Amino acid sequence: MTTDGPAQHSPSSDSRRPPPVSDSRRPPPRPRIHVDPLHDPVPDSPPRAVGTAVAAVALGVVAVLAAAVAVAVDLTTVRERLRAVVLADAPDTSVTDAADTVTVTLTVAGAVAAVVVLLGLLGALQLRGRRSSARSVLVTTAVLAAAGSAAFVIATDDAVARPWVYVPAGGAALLVIGAALAFTPAVGRWLRAAEHRRTS
């Protein structure tokens, strides 16, 4: 006669499960995390002010060139009128000194016009190329053009035919507008984004 020992029971699947967690002990659900960028991305396409600034600078350069060409075409007459103006303002001046004064005046005016043209073209190209240095170049061009055009009007008002004597002043105004547009907030963000990408 055999005696049955204590019954051997294998643990059931229910006994291996952890006790249910009450709602009071259950951790709260994690909130969804969404990180917004600190700044909106700057598009690569240039702002509208860039095109307007480049157009204003280009027109200003054309105006300065047109005035220079007008003076060059009528250079003999302009020199004679300027010499007469110098002799009328200073009767004690010799004819030779008056001629030298006219030569210096026209040479300086031509040099200023050439520098304005070159700097204006350089600034426009740099702005189109998304270079922050374009701002400094355009400001220098605008200041030089404004000062040069004022001196040109004062020195040649009675010698250069109208309206050519005032054309450089119009060109200087356009160059000032172009330089001012380069400092608008949209253009500044666009230029800074390009510089950051080049240096990063």
Side-chain angles (χ1 to χ4, degrees):
M1 182 175 182
T2 61
T3 305
D4 294 335
Q8 301 292 328
H9 299 284
S10 62
S12 64
S13 60
D14 292 338
S15 64
R16 291 195 300 267
R17 291 180 181 176
V21 180
S22 63
D23 293 338
S24 61
R25 297 175 57 189
R26 184 172 298 167
R30 294 182 179 179
R32 293 183 178 180
I33 300 176
H34 178 70
V35 179
D36 293 326
L38 296 178
H39 301 285
D40 293 333
V42 179
D44 290 330
S45 57
R48 185 176 299 176
V50 171
T52 307
V54 171
V57 171
L59 290 175
V61 167
V62 169
V64 173
L65 279 174
V69 170
V71 172
V73 169
D74 199 23
L75 184 59
T76 302
T77 303
V78 171
R79 289 182 63 89
E80 291 176 355
R81 290 176 181 172
L82 279 177
R83 185 172 55 187
V85 169
V86 171
L87 292 174
D89 292 339
D92 296 336
T93 305
S94 65
V95 175
T96 303
D97 290 342
D100 292 341
T101 301
V102 170
T103 300
V104 171
T105 300
L106 293 177
T107 301
V108 171
V112 171
V115 172
V116 167
V117 169
L118 293 176
L119 287 180
L121 293 176
L122 176 62
L125 291 175
Q126 287 187 340
L127 187 60
R128 290 283 297 179
R130 211 172 176 181
R131 297 285 179 176
S132 297
S133 57
R135 289 172 150 186
S136 300
V137 175
L138 291 177
V139 168
T140 303
T141 306
V143 171
L144 186 61
S149 64
F152 182 77
V153 171
I154 294 172
T156 64
D157 186 21
D158 296 329
V160 177
R162 290 173 175 78
W164 297 111
V165 68
Y166 300 115
V167 170
L174 289 169
L175 290 168
V176 170
I177 293 172
L181 289 173
F183 283 86
T184 57
V187 177
R189 289 191 297 269
W190 183 68
L191 293 175
R192 285 192 298 271
E195 290 294 332
H196 179 72
R197 291 175 186 175
R198 282 192 288 265
T199 56
S200 60

